[in-house]
Amino acid sequence: MFIAETMLRVLKQMIVIKREGRDLKEGEVPYKIVKHKIHYDRWPGDDRWKDLPLYGSWQTKLYEPPTAQDGVVPRNEFGNVELFKPWMLPRGTQHVDLPGTYSLARKLNIDAAHAVTGFEFPKKLRAVPVLSGVVVCSDKADLLREAWADYNKKQMEKAEEKRVKKIYDNWKLLIKSVLIKHKITNKYETMGGSSAKAKGHVHKFTKSRGKGQSYR
């Protein structure tokens, strides 16, 4: 039986649909459910079969982001914001894509959620989310950026002070080593001179005895 290519439709799992910045239409059910083999890293050789629902593109729509309310960023079930496409950013929020902003936001009592911008497959067994900055309410974004800039400035100053101190400490150690070496060298040179002088006296005394002098 011949089937025209135009009649074929691609079915996708939900995670792929979300990565394309789309969502399911209301009331849609899986077009097909297949068995999917899950591999577990913790127990090698221990595999599980799981139902994997698949959907067609006609069952999806462009993702409509929720709106932040009362200073709280809307999150998914894992406490993150899925930001695979620019239009997925929740209304009333901003994406602050700077490293270390999550812990800084917590110190400032600013509600923030990790931004998930993709997935990695290090062992081709399990998807690992890629976190890129945080999502905060728009009225807190500038405050967080300023605090981040100030924090990093202080960290750079501390790093420079540490670098300069290390340089001075290395110079002190070098100078101390040179002085110790110089002191040891002078000490052994002095001991060497005294030893040579003593040998000269012994040689002179022995030579004098060889001239016929007797001692009783």
Side-chain angles (χ1 to χ4, degrees), residues 130-174:
V130 177
L131 305 180
S132 302
V134 297
V135 175
V136 297
C137 292
S138 298
D139 59 341
K140 301 294 183 180
D142 289 339
L143 174 62
L144 182 59
R145 291 190 181 98
E146 291 174 3
W148 183 88
D150 184 60
Y151 174 79
N152 278 269
K153 182 180 178 181
K154 292 180 180 178
Q155 290 298 109
M156 291 178 64
E157 290 175 352
K158 289 181 180 179
E160 180 63 16
E161 291 177 0
K162 186 176 180 180
R163 187 185 71 84
V164 173
K165 184 179 182 300
K166 186 176 181 180
I167 292 174
Y168 278 113
D169 289 342
N170 289 340
W171 272 108
K172 288 179 181 179
L173 183 61
L174 177 62

mmCIF file of all heavy atoms in Angstrom, residues 130-174:
data_model
loop_
_atom_site.group_PDB
_atom_site.id
_atom_site.type_symbol
_atom_site.label_atom_id
_atom_site.label_comp_id
_atom_site.label_asym_id
_atom_site.label_seq_id
_atom_site.Cartn_x
_atom_site.Cartn_y
_atom_site.Cartn_z
ATOM 1 N N VAL A 130 19.517 22.895 31.487
ATOM 2 C CA VAL A 130 20.548 23.931 31.418
ATOM 3 C C VAL A 130 19.976 25.193 32.055
ATOM 4 O O VAL A 130 18.971 25.743 31.582
ATOM 5 C CB VAL A 130 20.966 24.215 29.966
ATOM 6 C CG1 VAL A 130 21.982 25.356 29.921
ATOM 7 C CG2 VAL A 130 21.542 22.964 29.322
ATOM 8 N N LEU A 131 20.596 25.656 33.133
ATOM 9 C CA LEU A 131 20.120 26.837 33.859
ATOM 10 C C LEU A 131 20.919 28.059 33.417
ATOM 11 O O LEU A 131 22.151 28.045 33.417
ATOM 12 C CB LEU A 131 20.266 26.628 35.367
ATOM 13 C CG LEU A 131 19.603 25.372 35.948
ATOM 14 C CD1 LEU A 131 19.823 25.296 37.453
ATOM 15 C CD2 LEU A 131 18.112 25.349 35.631
ATOM 16 N N SER A 132 20.193 29.113 33.028
ATOM 17 C CA SER A 132 20.837 30.342 32.565
ATOM 18 C C SER A 132 20.219 31.534 33.287
ATOM 19 O O SER A 132 19.186 32.070 32.858
ATOM 20 C CB SER A 132 20.685 30.501 31.051
ATOM 21 O OG SER A 132 21.237 29.400 30.365
ATOM 22 N N GLY A 133 20.839 31.932 34.394
ATOM 23 C CA GLY A 133 20.350 33.083 35.130
ATOM 24 C C GLY A 133 19.032 32.808 35.841
ATOM 25 O O GLY A 133 18.647 31.658 36.065
ATOM 26 N N VAL A 134 18.330 33.894 36.157
ATOM 27 C CA VAL A 134 17.066 33.782 36.889
ATOM 28 C C VAL A 134 16.002 34.665 36.255
ATOM 29 O O VAL A 134 16.292 35.556 35.462
ATOM 30 C CB VAL A 134 17.242 34.188 38.371
ATOM 31 C CG1 VAL A 134 18.196 33.251 39.082
ATOM 32 C CG2 VAL A 134 17.712 35.635 38.480
ATOM 33 N N VAL A 135 14.766 34.393 36.645
ATOM 34 C CA VAL A 135 13.623 35.222 36.235
ATOM 35 C C VAL A 135 13.073 35.881 37.492
ATOM 36 O O VAL A 135 12.781 35.202 38.478
ATOM 37 C CB VAL A 135 12.538 34.367 35.543
ATOM 38 C CG1 VAL A 135 11.310 35.223 35.240
ATOM 39 C CG2 VAL A 135 13.086 33.748 34.264
ATOM 40 N N VAL A 136 12.948 37.213 37.454
ATOM 41 C CA VAL A 136 12.421 37.974 38.587
ATOM 42 C C VAL A 136 11.364 38.936 38.082
ATOM 43 O O VAL A 136 11.264 39.202 36.882
ATOM 44 C CB VAL A 136 13.544 38.761 39.314
ATOM 45 C CG1 VAL A 136 14.570 37.819 39.912
ATOM 46 C CG2 VAL A 136 14.214 39.754 38.370
ATOM 47 N N CYS A 137 10.596 39.449 39.002
ATOM 48 C CA CYS A 137 9.593 40.453 38.633
ATOM 49 C C CYS A 137 10.285 41.707 38.104
ATOM 50 O O CYS A 137 11.385 42.060 38.543
ATOM 51 C CB CYS A 137 8.707 40.785 39.824
ATOM 52 S SG CYS A 137 7.643 39.406 40.325
ATOM 53 N N SER A 138 9.641 42.374 37.184
ATOM 54 C CA SER A 138 10.263 43.510 36.490
ATOM 55 C C SER A 138 10.708 44.613 37.438
ATOM 56 O O SER A 138 11.742 45.253 37.219
ATOM 57 C CB SER A 138 9.282 44.082 35.456
ATOM 58 O OG SER A 138 8.976 43.110 34.473
ATOM 59 N N ASP A 139 9.946 44.858 38.508
ATOM 60 C CA ASP A 139 10.296 45.944 39.415
ATOM 61 C C ASP A 139 11.501 45.609 40.296
ATOM 62 O O ASP A 139 12.008 46.486 41.014
ATOM 63 C CB ASP A 139 9.097 46.313 40.294
ATOM 64 C CG ASP A 139 8.593 45.135 41.120
ATOM 65 O OD1 ASP A 139 8.922 43.985 40.762
ATOM 66 O OD2 ASP A 139 7.892 45.362 42.124
ATOM 67 N N LYS A 140 11.986 44.357 40.258
ATOM 68 C CA LYS A 140 13.150 43.964 41.060
ATOM 69 C C LYS A 140 14.383 43.696 40.185
ATOM 70 O O LYS A 140 15.476 43.484 40.729
ATOM 71 C CB LYS A 140 12.833 42.695 41.857
ATOM 72 C CG LYS A 140 11.655 42.819 42.807
ATOM 73 C CD LYS A 140 11.938 43.794 43.929
ATOM 74 C CE LYS A 140 10.768 43.837 44.906
ATOM 75 N NZ LYS A 140 11.005 44.796 46.026
ATOM 76 N N ALA A 141 14.213 43.728 38.887
ATOM 77 C CA ALA A 141 15.307 43.359 37.987
ATOM 78 C C ALA A 141 16.488 44.325 38.088
ATOM 79 O O ALA A 141 17.646 43.897 38.196
ATOM 80 C CB ALA A 141 14.801 43.295 36.548
ATOM 81 N N ASP A 142 16.221 45.628 38.053
ATOM 82 C CA ASP A 142 17.311 46.613 38.119
ATOM 83 C C ASP A 142 18.043 46.540 39.454
ATOM 84 O O ASP A 142 19.276 46.675 39.511
ATOM 85 C CB ASP A 142 16.761 48.030 37.906
ATOM 86 C CG ASP A 142 16.315 48.256 36.466
ATOM 87 O OD1 ASP A 142 16.779 47.502 35.584
ATOM 88 O OD2 ASP A 142 15.500 49.179 36.226
ATOM 89 N N LEU A 143 17.290 46.337 40.541
ATOM 90 C CA LEU A 143 17.906 46.210 41.860
ATOM 91 C C LEU A 143 18.855 45.017 41.894
ATOM 92 O O LEU A 143 19.973 45.109 42.425
ATOM 93 C CB LEU A 143 16.819 46.057 42.927
ATOM 94 C CG LEU A 143 17.309 45.774 44.363
ATOM 95 C CD1 LEU A 143 18.164 46.919 44.865
ATOM 96 C CD2 LEU A 143 16.117 45.529 45.284
ATOM 97 N N LEU A 144 18.436 43.909 41.311
ATOM 98 C CA LEU A 144 19.275 42.707 41.289
ATOM 99 C C LEU A 144 20.520 42.920 40.428
ATOM 100 O O LEU A 144 21.618 42.505 40.811
ATOM 101 C CB LEU A 144 18.469 41.522 40.769
ATOM 102 C CG LEU A 144 19.191 40.175 40.729
ATOM 103 C CD1 LEU A 144 19.674 39.781 42.120
ATOM 104 C CD2 LEU A 144 18.274 39.093 40.162
ATOM 105 N N ARG A 145 20.375 43.577 39.286
ATOM 106 C CA ARG A 145 21.530 43.833 38.415
ATOM 107 C C ARG A 145 22.544 44.754 39.101
ATOM 108 O O ARG A 145 23.756 44.537 39.016
ATOM 109 C CB ARG A 145 21.070 44.452 37.099
ATOM 110 C CG ARG A 145 20.274 43.495 36.203
ATOM 111 C CD ARG A 145 20.055 44.091 34.825
ATOM 112 N NE ARG A 145 19.278 43.207 33.972
ATOM 113 C CZ ARG A 145 17.967 43.327 33.771
ATOM 114 N NH1 ARG A 145 17.288 44.304 34.388
ATOM 115 N NH2 ARG A 145 17.339 42.486 32.973
ATOM 116 N N GLU A 146 22.052 45.789 39.779
ATOM 117 C CA GLU A 146 22.948 46.708 40.485
ATOM 118 C C GLU A 146 23.680 45.988 41.618
ATOM 119 O O GLU A 146 24.881 46.199 41.830
ATOM 120 C CB GLU A 146 22.154 47.901 41.029
ATOM 121 C CG GLU A 146 21.619 48.833 39.952
ATOM 122 C CD GLU A 146 20.715 49.909 40.519
ATOM 123 O OE1 GLU A 146 20.556 49.941 41.769
ATOM 124 O OE2 GLU A 146 20.167 50.705 39.743
ATOM 125 N N ALA A 147 22.940 45.172 42.354
ATOM 126 C CA ALA A 147 23.551 44.418 43.455
ATOM 127 C C ALA A 147 24.598 43.443 42.912
ATOM 128 O O ALA A 147 25.656 43.254 43.517
ATOM 129 C CB ALA A 147 22.474 43.664 44.240
ATOM 130 N N TRP A 148 24.306 42.835 41.770
ATOM 131 C CA TRP A 148 25.260 41.902 41.151
ATOM 132 C C TRP A 148 26.528 42.631 40.721
ATOM 133 O O TRP A 148 27.639 42.133 40.935
ATOM 134 C CB TRP A 148 24.604 41.221 39.952
ATOM 135 C CG TRP A 148 25.474 40.198 39.295
ATOM 136 C CD1 TRP A 148 25.588 38.872 39.615
ATOM 137 C CD2 TRP A 148 26.380 40.415 38.200
ATOM 138 N NE1 TRP A 148 26.496 38.249 38.792
ATOM 139 C CE2 TRP A 148 27.000 39.176 37.916
ATOM 140 C CE3 TRP A 148 26.724 41.531 37.437
ATOM 141 C CZ2 TRP A 148 27.942 39.025 36.899
ATOM 142 C CZ3 TRP A 148 27.665 41.387 36.420
ATOM 143 C CH2 TRP A 148 28.255 40.154 36.157
ATOM 144 N N ALA A 149 26.368 43.818 40.120
ATOM 145 C CA ALA A 149 27.527 44.596 39.682
ATOM 146 C C ALA A 149 28.379 45.021 40.875
ATOM 147 O O ALA A 149 29.618 44.950 40.843
ATOM 148 C CB ALA A 149 27.067 45.820 38.895
ATOM 149 N N ASP A 150 27.723 45.469 41.949
ATOM 150 C CA ASP A 150 28.445 45.886 43.153
ATOM 151 C C ASP A 150 29.164 44.701 43.792
ATOM 152 O O ASP A 150 30.320 44.810 44.227
ATOM 153 C CB ASP A 150 27.458 46.512 44.146
ATOM 154 C CG ASP A 150 28.152 47.053 45.384
ATOM 155 O OD1 ASP A 150 29.005 47.946 45.248
ATOM 156 O OD2 ASP A 150 27.850 46.570 46.493
ATOM 157 N N TYR A 151 28.495 43.564 43.847
ATOM 158 C CA TYR A 151 29.094 42.361 44.440
ATOM 159 C C TYR A 151 30.322 41.921 43.659
ATOM 160 O O TYR A 151 31.361 41.585 44.237
ATOM 161 C CB TYR A 151 28.051 41.247 44.485
ATOM 162 C CG TYR A 151 28.595 39.918 44.934
ATOM 163 C CD1 TYR A 151 28.819 39.644 46.282
ATOM 164 C CD2 TYR A 151 28.892 38.920 44.004
ATOM 165 C CE1 TYR A 151 29.317 38.421 46.693
ATOM 166 C CE2 TYR A 151 29.396 37.690 44.411
ATOM 167 C CZ TYR A 151 29.605 37.452 45.749
ATOM 168 O OH TYR A 151 30.112 36.239 46.149
ATOM 169 N N ASN A 152 30.210 41.905 42.343
ATOM 170 C CA ASN A 152 31.337 41.475 41.513
ATOM 171 C C ASN A 152 32.490 42.463 41.570
ATOM 172 O O ASN A 152 33.659 42.062 41.489
ATOM 173 C CB ASN A 152 30.882 41.277 40.067
ATOM 174 C CG ASN A 152 30.236 39.934 39.841
ATOM 175 O OD1 ASN A 152 30.890 38.965 39.500
ATOM 176 N ND2 ASN A 152 28.934 39.869 40.053
ATOM 177 N N LYS A 153 32.186 43.752 41.731
ATOM 178 C CA LYS A 153 33.238 44.751 41.877
ATOM 179 C C LYS A 153 34.036 44.492 43.153
ATOM 180 O O LYS A 153 35.273 44.533 43.156
ATOM 181 C CB LYS A 153 32.635 46.157 41.915
ATOM 182 C CG LYS A 153 33.668 47.264 42.026
ATOM 183 C CD LYS A 153 33.005 48.627 42.060
ATOM 184 C CE LYS A 153 34.050 49.748 42.216
ATOM 185 N NZ LYS A 153 33.405 51.082 42.276
ATOM 186 N N LYS A 154 33.322 44.199 44.242
ATOM 187 C CA LYS A 154 33.994 43.905 45.511
ATOM 188 C C LYS A 154 34.812 42.617 45.411
ATOM 189 O O LYS A 154 35.913 42.526 45.955
ATOM 190 C CB LYS A 154 32.962 43.785 46.644
ATOM 191 C CG LYS A 154 32.291 45.103 46.992
ATOM 192 C CD LYS A 154 31.277 44.919 48.109
ATOM 193 C CE LYS A 154 30.615 46.239 48.462
ATOM 194 N NZ LYS A 154 29.582 46.073 49.529
ATOM 195 N N GLN A 155 34.260 41.630 44.698
ATOM 196 C CA GLN A 155 34.985 40.374 44.539
ATOM 197 C C GLN A 155 36.265 40.575 43.734
ATOM 198 O O GLN A 155 37.308 39.983 44.038
ATOM 199 C CB GLN A 155 34.092 39.342 43.831
ATOM 200 C CG GLN A 155 32.929 38.839 44.677
ATOM 201 C CD GLN A 155 33.400 38.112 45.933
ATOM 202 O OE1 GLN A 155 33.258 38.617 47.044
ATOM 203 N NE2 GLN A 155 33.966 36.943 45.772
ATOM 204 N N MET A 156 36.208 41.434 42.721
ATOM 205 C CA MET A 156 37.396 41.733 41.919
ATOM 206 C C MET A 156 38.443 42.473 42.749
ATOM 207 O O MET A 156 39.647 42.218 42.626
ATOM 208 C CB MET A 156 37.004 42.553 40.697
ATOM 209 C CG MET A 156 36.198 41.788 39.661
ATOM 210 S SD MET A 156 35.693 42.798 38.246
ATOM 211 C CE MET A 156 37.306 43.215 37.551
ATOM 212 N N GLU A 157 37.976 43.386 43.609
ATOM 213 C CA GLU A 157 38.904 44.114 44.478
ATOM 214 C C GLU A 157 39.579 43.165 45.463
ATOM 215 O O GLU A 157 40.783 43.273 45.719
ATOM 216 C CB GLU A 157 38.149 45.215 45.226
ATOM 217 C CG GLU A 157 37.688 46.364 44.332
ATOM 218 C CD GLU A 157 36.843 47.372 45.084
ATOM 219 O OE1 GLU A 157 36.495 47.091 46.264
ATOM 220 O OE2 GLU A 157 36.525 48.431 44.513
ATOM 221 N N LYS A 158 38.797 42.232 46.017
ATOM 222 C CA LYS A 158 39.371 41.249 46.941
ATOM 223 C C LYS A 158 40.383 40.362 46.229
ATOM 224 O O LYS A 158 41.447 40.036 46.778
ATOM 225 C CB LYS A 158 38.266 40.401 47.555
ATOM 226 C CG LYS A 158 37.389 41.135 48.554
ATOM 227 C CD LYS A 158 36.337 40.201 49.129
ATOM 228 C CE LYS A 158 35.455 40.913 50.138
ATOM 229 N NZ LYS A 158 34.395 40.022 50.694
ATOM 230 N N ALA A 159 40.051 39.984 45.002
ATOM 231 C CA ALA A 159 40.960 39.132 44.229
ATOM 232 C C ALA A 159 42.256 39.866 43.926
ATOM 233 O O ALA A 159 43.346 39.278 43.974
ATOM 234 C CB ALA A 159 40.279 38.692 42.942
ATOM 235 N N GLU A 160 42.155 41.172 43.629
ATOM 236 C CA GLU A 160 43.360 41.962 43.349
ATOM 237 C C GLU A 160 44.213 42.116 44.600
ATOM 238 O O GLU A 160 45.447 42.014 44.545
ATOM 239 C CB GLU A 160 42.940 43.342 42.821
ATOM 240 C CG GLU A 160 44.103 44.266 42.485
ATOM 241 C CD GLU A 160 44.977 43.753 41.373
ATOM 242 O OE1 GLU A 160 44.546 42.848 40.640
ATOM 243 O OE2 GLU A 160 46.111 44.272 41.230
ATOM 244 N N GLU A 161 43.565 42.359 45.740
ATOM 245 C CA GLU A 161 44.304 42.457 47.005
ATOM 246 C C GLU A 161 45.010 41.141 47.322
ATOM 247 O O GLU A 161 46.160 41.138 47.775
ATOM 248 C CB GLU A 161 43.343 42.820 48.143
ATOM 249 C CG GLU A 161 42.791 44.241 48.059
ATOM 250 C CD GLU A 161 41.786 44.526 49.156
ATOM 251 O OE1 GLU A 161 41.533 43.597 49.968
ATOM 252 O OE2 GLU A 161 41.260 45.648 49.215
ATOM 253 N N LYS A 162 44.341 40.061 47.085
ATOM 254 C CA LYS A 162 44.932 38.737 47.325
ATOM 255 C C LYS A 162 46.120 38.503 46.403
ATOM 256 O O LYS A 162 47.151 37.956 46.817
ATOM 257 C CB LYS A 162 43.871 37.660 47.115
ATOM 258 C CG LYS A 162 44.329 36.263 47.478
ATOM 259 C CD LYS A 162 43.202 35.266 47.327
ATOM 260 C CE LYS A 162 43.675 33.858 47.689
ATOM 261 N NZ LYS A 162 42.561 32.868 47.551
ATOM 262 N N ARG A 163 45.997 38.944 45.144
ATOM 263 C CA ARG A 163 47.088 38.767 44.176
ATOM 264 C C ARG A 163 48.316 39.585 44.578
ATOM 265 O O ARG A 163 49.450 39.101 44.551
ATOM 266 C CB ARG A 163 46.619 39.183 42.789
ATOM 267 C CG ARG A 163 47.611 38.894 41.661
ATOM 268 C CD ARG A 163 47.105 39.447 40.357
ATOM 269 N NE ARG A 163 47.153 40.890 40.342
ATOM 270 C CZ ARG A 163 48.247 41.587 40.019
ATOM 271 N NH1 ARG A 163 49.371 40.970 39.682
ATOM 272 N NH2 ARG A 163 48.203 42.913 40.021
ATOM 273 N N VAL A 164 48.084 40.851 44.972
ATOM 274 C CA VAL A 164 49.189 41.729 45.381
ATOM 275 C C VAL A 164 49.859 41.188 46.640
ATOM 276 O O VAL A 164 51.092 41.188 46.756
ATOM 277 C CB VAL A 164 48.673 43.164 45.612
ATOM 278 C CG1 VAL A 164 49.777 44.033 46.209
ATOM 279 C CG2 VAL A 164 48.180 43.768 44.303
ATOM 280 N N LYS A 165 49.050 40.720 47.590
ATOM 281 C CA LYS A 165 49.603 40.154 48.821
ATOM 282 C C LYS A 165 50.472 38.936 48.526
ATOM 283 O O LYS A 165 51.538 38.745 49.133
ATOM 284 C CB LYS A 165 48.475 39.777 49.782
ATOM 285 C CG LYS A 165 48.959 39.255 51.138
ATOM 286 C CD LYS A 165 47.788 38.936 52.034
ATOM 287 C CE LYS A 165 48.260 38.456 53.407
ATOM 288 N NZ LYS A 165 49.084 37.233 53.325
ATOM 289 N N LYS A 166 50.026 38.123 47.588
ATOM 290 C CA LYS A 166 50.791 36.935 47.228
ATOM 291 C C LYS A 166 52.135 37.325 46.616
ATOM 292 O O LYS A 166 53.164 36.686 46.875
ATOM 293 C CB LYS A 166 49.984 36.081 46.252
ATOM 294 C CG LYS A 166 50.644 34.754 45.932
ATOM 295 C CD LYS A 166 49.759 33.903 45.039
ATOM 296 C CE LYS A 166 50.418 32.556 44.744
ATOM 297 N NZ LYS A 166 49.560 31.706 43.877
ATOM 298 N N ILE A 167 52.122 38.392 45.805
ATOM 299 C CA ILE A 167 53.374 38.867 45.199
ATOM 300 C C ILE A 167 54.346 39.322 46.283
ATOM 301 O O ILE A 167 55.537 38.969 46.270
ATOM 302 C CB ILE A 167 53.087 40.014 44.209
ATOM 303 C CG1 ILE A 167 52.327 39.479 42.991
ATOM 304 C CG2 ILE A 167 54.387 40.688 43.775
ATOM 305 C CD1 ILE A 167 51.884 40.547 42.033
ATOM 306 N N TYR A 168 53.855 40.126 47.240
ATOM 307 C CA TYR A 168 54.710 40.604 48.331
ATOM 308 C C TYR A 168 55.224 39.441 49.178
ATOM 309 O O TYR A 168 56.393 39.415 49.586
ATOM 310 C CB TYR A 168 53.941 41.595 49.207
ATOM 311 C CG TYR A 168 53.915 42.993 48.653
ATOM 312 C CD1 TYR A 168 52.733 43.574 48.203
ATOM 313 C CD2 TYR A 168 55.090 43.758 48.578
ATOM 314 C CE1 TYR A 168 52.706 44.864 47.687
ATOM 315 C CE2 TYR A 168 55.065 45.049 48.071
ATOM 316 C CZ TYR A 168 53.878 45.596 47.621
ATOM 317 O OH TYR A 168 53.864 46.865 47.109
ATOM 318 N N ASP A 169 54.366 38.483 49.456
ATOM 319 C CA ASP A 169 54.776 37.322 50.245
ATOM 320 C C ASP A 169 55.868 36.526 49.520
ATOM 321 O O ASP A 169 56.824 36.048 50.154
ATOM 322 C CB ASP A 169 53.570 36.419 50.520
ATOM 323 C CG ASP A 169 52.590 37.042 51.501
ATOM 324 O OD1 ASP A 169 52.991 37.982 52.220
ATOM 325 O OD2 ASP A 169 51.429 36.588 51.552
ATOM 326 N N ASN A 170 55.744 36.399 48.213
ATOM 327 C CA ASN A 170 56.770 35.690 47.436
ATOM 328 C C ASN A 170 58.106 36.429 47.466
ATOM 329 O O ASN A 170 59.176 35.813 47.573
ATOM 330 C CB ASN A 170 56.299 35.500 45.995
ATOM 331 C CG ASN A 170 55.177 34.486 45.869
ATOM 332 O OD1 ASN A 170 54.989 33.661 46.765
ATOM 333 N ND2 ASN A 170 54.429 34.550 44.786
ATOM 334 N N TRP A 171 58.035 37.768 47.383
ATOM 335 C CA TRP A 171 59.273 38.563 47.444
ATOM 336 C C TRP A 171 59.926 38.452 48.823
ATOM 337 O O TRP A 171 61.150 38.343 48.938
ATOM 338 C CB TRP A 171 58.974 40.023 47.122
ATOM 339 C CG TRP A 171 59.045 40.333 45.658
ATOM 340 C CD1 TRP A 171 58.020 40.601 44.822
ATOM 341 C CD2 TRP A 171 60.237 40.380 44.865
ATOM 342 N NE1 TRP A 171 58.469 40.811 43.552
ATOM 343 C CE2 TRP A 171 59.833 40.688 43.543
ATOM 344 C CE3 TRP A 171 61.593 40.192 45.133
ATOM 345 C CZ2 TRP A 171 60.749 40.825 42.496
ATOM 346 C CZ3 TRP A 171 62.509 40.328 44.077
ATOM 347 C CH2 TRP A 171 62.084 40.638 42.791
ATOM 348 N N LYS A 172 59.111 38.484 49.868
ATOM 349 C CA LYS A 172 59.645 38.340 51.228
ATOM 350 C C LYS A 172 60.330 36.993 51.394
ATOM 351 O O LYS A 172 61.410 36.900 51.989
ATOM 352 C CB LYS A 172 58.505 38.479 52.250
ATOM 353 C CG LYS A 172 57.966 39.897 52.401
ATOM 354 C CD LYS A 172 56.840 39.919 53.416
ATOM 355 C CE LYS A 172 56.255 41.318 53.564
ATOM 356 N NZ LYS A 172 55.129 41.340 54.534
ATOM 357 N N LEU A 173 59.693 35.954 50.875
ATOM 358 C CA LEU A 173 60.267 34.618 50.967
ATOM 359 C C LEU A 173 61.581 34.531 50.195
ATOM 360 O O LEU A 173 62.547 33.923 50.671
ATOM 361 C CB LEU A 173 59.267 33.592 50.424
ATOM 362 C CG LEU A 173 59.681 32.120 50.499
ATOM 363 C CD1 LEU A 173 59.892 31.712 51.960
ATOM 364 C CD2 LEU A 173 58.630 31.231 49.852
ATOM 365 N N LEU A 174 61.620 35.167 49.023
ATOM 366 C CA LEU A 174 62.841 35.154 48.213
ATOM 367 C C LEU A 174 63.972 35.890 48.919
ATOM 368 O O LEU A 174 65.113 35.399 48.982
ATOM 369 C CB LEU A 174 62.559 35.788 46.849
ATOM 370 C CG LEU A 174 63.755 35.912 45.905
ATOM 371 C CD1 LEU A 174 64.306 34.540 45.572
ATOM 372 C CD2 LEU A 174 63.356 36.649 44.630
#
